[in-house]
Amino acid sequence: MPLTQTPRAAGGPAQLLPKKLSHARPLFDPEILRRAIRDSFLKLNPVRLLKNPVIFVVEIGAAITTLLLARDLATRAADTAFNLQITLWLWFTVLFANFAEAMAEARGKAQADTLRKTKSDSAARRLRPNGTTESVASSQLRAGDEVLCEAGDTIPGDGEVIEGIATVDESVITGESAPVIRESGGDRSAVTGGTKVLSDHIRIRITSNPGETFLDRMIALVEGAQRQKTPNEIALNILIAGLTLIFLLAVVTLQPFSQYSVSAAGAGAVPSMAVLVSLLVCLIPTTIGGLLSAIGIAGMDRVMQHNVLAMSGKAVEAAGDVNTLLLDKTGTITIGNRQAVEFLPVPGVTETELAEAAQLSSLADETPEGRSVVVLAKEKYGLRGRELAQHEAHFIPFSAYTRMSGVDIDSGRLRKGATESIAQFVTEEGGSVTPELREIAERISRQGGTPLAVANGRRALGVIHLKDVVKGGMKERLAQLRRMGISTVMITGDNPLTAAAIAAEAGVDNFLAQASPADKLNYIKKEQGEGRLVAMTGDGTNDAPALAQADVGLAMNTGTMAAKEAGNMVDLDSNPTKLIEVVAIGKQLLITRGALTTFSIANDVAKYFAIIPAMFMATYPALGALNVMGLNNPRSAVLSAVIFNALIIIVLVPLALRGVQYRPETAGALLRRNLLIYGLGGLLAPFPGIWAIDRLVHLLGLA
Amino acid sequence: MTPNGLLQIAVYFALLVLLTKPMGAFMARVFQGERTFLHPVLAPLERICYRAAGIRPDSEQRWTQYSASLLAFSFVSLVFVYLLQRCQGWLPLNPMGLGAAAPIAPDLAFNTAVSFTTNTNWQAYSGESTLSYLVQMAALAVQNFASAAAGVAVAVALTRGFARQQATSIGNFWVDLTRAVVYLFLPLSLLSALFFCSQGVIQNFAPSTKAVTLEGRPQVIAQGPVASQEAIKMLGTNGGGFFNANSAHPFENPTPLTNLIQMLLIFVIPAGLTYTFGRMVGDQRQGWAIFAAMAVLFLLGVFVLYGAEQSGNPILARLGLQTAPTATQPGGTMEGKEVRFGIAATALFATITTGASCGAVNGMHDSFTPLGGLVPLFNMQTGEVIFGGTGAGLYGMLLFAILAVFIAGLMVGRTPEYLGKKIEGKEVKMAMLALIATSAAILLFTGAGAVIDFAKASYWNAGGPATANLNNAGPHGFGELLYAYSSAAANNGSAFAGLNANTPWYNLTLGLAMLVGRFLIIVPMLAAASRLAAKKKLAATTGTLPTHGPLFVTLLVGTVVIVGALTFFPALSLSPVVEHLLMLQGRLF
């Protein structure tokens, strides 16, 4: 049975994206802003811009108008004031686009710097083959070396505990100050370089070479050094490059068209190069072209702010596409442990008597189940734990052999445990078990609970109903997922009966009972075979194949190295519920891209209405009818469109970095809303925008 | 708009809707190799074709083989049509002795050969005075069948791309071609040809009749095997008329009834293919969504065109002429329209023929009002996706569907998918390639034509500059130029007229535009088909973008209109748009 780590806290309320993030930075931190502005200029290098075809075209256009401007200045031609303004705004367009990308990158770099500070070169005590230790620098450790760490030591590198148990402070990685336990064997053996041992001592086998540690990878990831374009980003780039080419054709051929028109009408002049370049820049999708990479980087960053480390942007994209979520019951859907919810006595026994016996038998039981019995008895029947010292109590701990625990005191031999074990105990004591006891126990099982029988010597008293408690707000979140078209599958080691009951209570769509790791893997393959994308969480070594097979595998940071290697994301908080947030972030990333692309293209309509009449007003005055915005004069119309086009990039930077708001709705509802806002909005918004800029330009006497 | 005119449009559209399902279901059976009611009669013919050509009907082709077969077939056809034209003077069935004295010029023969093998049917010649009956039948009519069938084959192959999963092949070109001809075009053409004969369309091998008119003037009345060519001309969305006057000629389109049937024949296969598409991808609603998007664009066009023509020319109204309809007068502007059809049937015909890549005309588009002329122009520039050419309409619309889904699909928070197929870089690249190719062909050639200068009496253009061949000045003249290349690149073939296109310069450039507009869409679409066929089909959930509802139809219509408008806004604003504005000010060209 794949067990997961007990999570630290239940997930938040039914909100897909928590508003407060522990790692969130202000959008415009002055330090980041300074770095971004500097980088915007460095990015003017055409070789670097080449990978962004849209903005590259703008830069070429700006270069051409600059050259023409220089010529005009030399020959003292007319129109230099207008051409100068156009040229400046074209350069601003490039700079603004660069700034968007630089902002996103700078935010990542700021985080990387914080991480790098924790990466001090500490000394490590390496074990020699003969058992003695030598002191070496941590940077000299290779995979396979063994080191010793004691309380107060910084763990010198990523590795696995092979001996001992210790509490470790992993706050540098997780930001969480509560220490965690790391022990040899099992699923809590992985330690991360840079974290600190707080107590005890452990022997660690180093698993990574210098420069390849988890911390190194994390730094590289947030810095964007290894950033590769994701498949969807590549496709979108092709689309906008193609559109750029089409608009290039439309503008280039406008020159001969206007030559014909001018000679046919015998009036006006062929539009100048500056005006043609302006039209081109306004038409090509500069908005999305400028913001595309910022959106991608910011998406990765948002995942990071949720304390999840995505190994690639592709994984984040895949998260948006997920159809099926495999959720472990324990720790994800239910709060880890079963809790006593009810005392059910057999006929002839009062509830209070049963509750008292149950409480007494559990006083020394330190398991969460045992504690919950004490708490229930106290809350429901007002029974306080009594001072047992006076009663010469003798506690019987739970053993796998007897499958019972209890206490021997003056009032009798109290036992609680599995129904069969209690029945045997009662019989041995000389009593007999009534059929009612078994009936009650079966009824509890059918409801998905766990029955725990209680006896006092030869008398069977009744049954404690232990129940899996579904996390608060889980039902709502699962319902949201269903609305998003994502089906949830609960994975549990429980029998099908118990599993079905919990599945129904939590509202998951399906469950996989008595699941072995192989079952999990097969289930994933089956789902994928039917054309669905699957996401899962896992932490154990035996989860690794399934994590690797899943389209999104979120490994818990507390898990084994094998699990972390197999997954494509690691949750530093080890909170399996976070899978849901990751899906939402993936969707948000894709929506932001689509929304800004739509907006960018829809914007073009208004720009045509500004520039085309301006270009041909002198040739065909009748075309003034297309000047629906009533712009002041041809120059101011062209200038206003160019200014609008540049400013809109800056205006949309916060949206690109924060992402479009995502609501868990059906695809149809989402599309309708986003088409209205970004499609229709994109169509209409530039009209008042360009009109207002035109007034301002006119007011300032710029054109 | 008159009630009578609206009724004509309504009746036409209702008939089209009724025919879509039976046609579509029949074609789905044909192309999936299932038996139909025609099989007892025609299956032997199909088998004979395979045996004669050495085709194994059960073998499948990868997209490269499929494209290579199609390209080879088109190339051989092109050469054949070219040679037959050049040699017609020595060949039989030429009672008028056409081309005997001076063979058809190479550039014209090239243009015509390209035109008919690409399903364009642009005609730089006058049929009755240029081509022999043999060429009309053996070269042109055969290509009317073949090029239409090739288009259908590509549409079916692309449909398979969406229907199949993890497949490496997309069908067999030779089989699809044969089935389209044998089960679809042959029986329907035969039937409609007979019907046309019954209505008065001629079918003979007689030489032209010399008559004397009532005025005592001599008149030559051309004859020929018209009905057989007329049927496939409409059904295969070819549009190349036997006579220069095309479907305005009483021997081609004698009655209002033949006019209605001709219009139905143009759309019946393209409309039916949307249903075939739905059936083959296993979701009928998907087919109807495509149909609906096409229908919306069609009706929009009809009403703009009909509205513009029926409201007439304000200049004439200002002069006190009657432009409102009366009991005895049609009102509006009758210029360029046949009196037997009237304004509504002409507006309808013009929208249909340019929505589909047919290009047959029953009126003179050049004589329409500026806005009336804008509709055919825009229909062609959006790539003939309003039902479109046989097959070409469907694969053209699917190209837009891919783009629409790609942009909007992101907005539902998933990487885009259409019919369970992920739309990724390769598909977008192919769709963009096709889009760029046609836009480039229209814009670059029009741009060149607007400014290129030749010496007087030069080989390329004896009249001097290319614009010297335009009959009209100002924006209307520019519209004629734009129309010609739009028509060629969209493989429509209708002429705005007003352009003397039979010069080496125009024959060559229009020919190239036709080739680009045909094959630079087909090949990328087949490549996309193969990529799609190789993919797994993803399951649909409530999180998947629904592609069958009104929302998607709106989106698809919006994509077609906006992409078209953004590409051609500058060009259009310098032709019909400004012409319209000038007309309102009282200027004509």
Side-chain angles (χ1 to χ4, degrees), chain A residues 369-451:
Chain A
E369 286 89 353
R371 278 201 301 269
S372 78
V373 172
V374 176
V375 169
L376 181 71
K378 191 166 79 186
E379 282 175 356
K380 211 163 169 188
Y381 304 99
L383 301 173
R384 321 217 109 252
R386 272 156 293 175
E387 216 25 77
L388 283 169
Q390 344 163 349
H391 297 280
E392 276 187 48
H394 174 61
F395 290 107
I396 316 291
F398 177 83
S399 85
Y401 177 67
T402 60
R403 295 170 67 204
M404 288 188 302
S405 64
V407 62
D408 288 343
I409 47 170
D410 42 14
S411 60
R413 285 155 65 79
L414 302 174
R415 292 290 183 278
K416 71 171 201 294
T419 319
E420 282 317 306
S421 313
I422 294 294
Q424 200 183 341
F425 170 77
V426 169
T427 317
E428 278 168 12
E429 292 285 310
S432 68
V433 176
T434 54
E436 283 91 345
L437 184 83
R438 288 183 201 278
E439 262 169 40
I440 296 169
E442 267 168 36
R443 202 172 62 231
I444 292 171
S445 285
R446 267 201 306 279
Q447 291 168 3
T450 308

Side-chain angles (χ1 to χ4, degrees), chain A residues 260 321 484-485 531 608 667 671 674, chain B residues 411 414-415 422 474 539 542 566:
Chain A
Y260 169 90
D321 284 350
M484 288 152 61
Y608 264 137
L671 181 63
N674 288 329
Chain B
M411 283 196 289
R414 293 172 64 81
T415 56
K422 265 203 184 324
T542 56
L566 290 180

Side-chain angles (χ1 to χ4, degrees), chain A residues 232 235-236 242-243 253 256-257 260 320-321 323 482-485 528 531 587 590-591 598 608 612 622 667 671 674, chain B residues 406-407 410-415 422 425 432 443 447 474 478 536-539 541-545 566 570 573 578 581:
Chain A
N232 176 257
L236 194 52
L243 286 175
T253 53
F257 294 173
Y260 169 90
D321 284 350
N323 304 94
R482 193 166 312 113
R483 232 172 304 144
M484 288 152 61
Q528 289 173 335
K587 287 195 176 295
L590 293 168
I591 292 176
T598 310
Y608 264 137
I612 291 291
L671 181 63
N674 288 329
Chain B
F406 182 77
I407 300 169
L410 281 173
M411 283 196 289
V412 304
R414 293 172 64 81
T415 56
K422 265 203 184 324
M432 287 313 287
L443 289 170
F478 180 62
K536 272 199 272 188
K537 225 176 163 75
L538 302 174
T541 67
T542 56
T544 315
L545 171 73
L566 290 180
S573 59
V578 73
L581 295 170

Side-chain angles (χ1 to χ4, degrees), chain B residues 251-266:
Chain B
F251 284 173
E252 285 203 24
N253 189 9
T255 65
L257 184 60
T258 55
N259 193 56
L260 175 69
I261 300 298
Q262 294 205 347
M263 293 191 295
L264 278 172
L265 285 177
I266 299 178

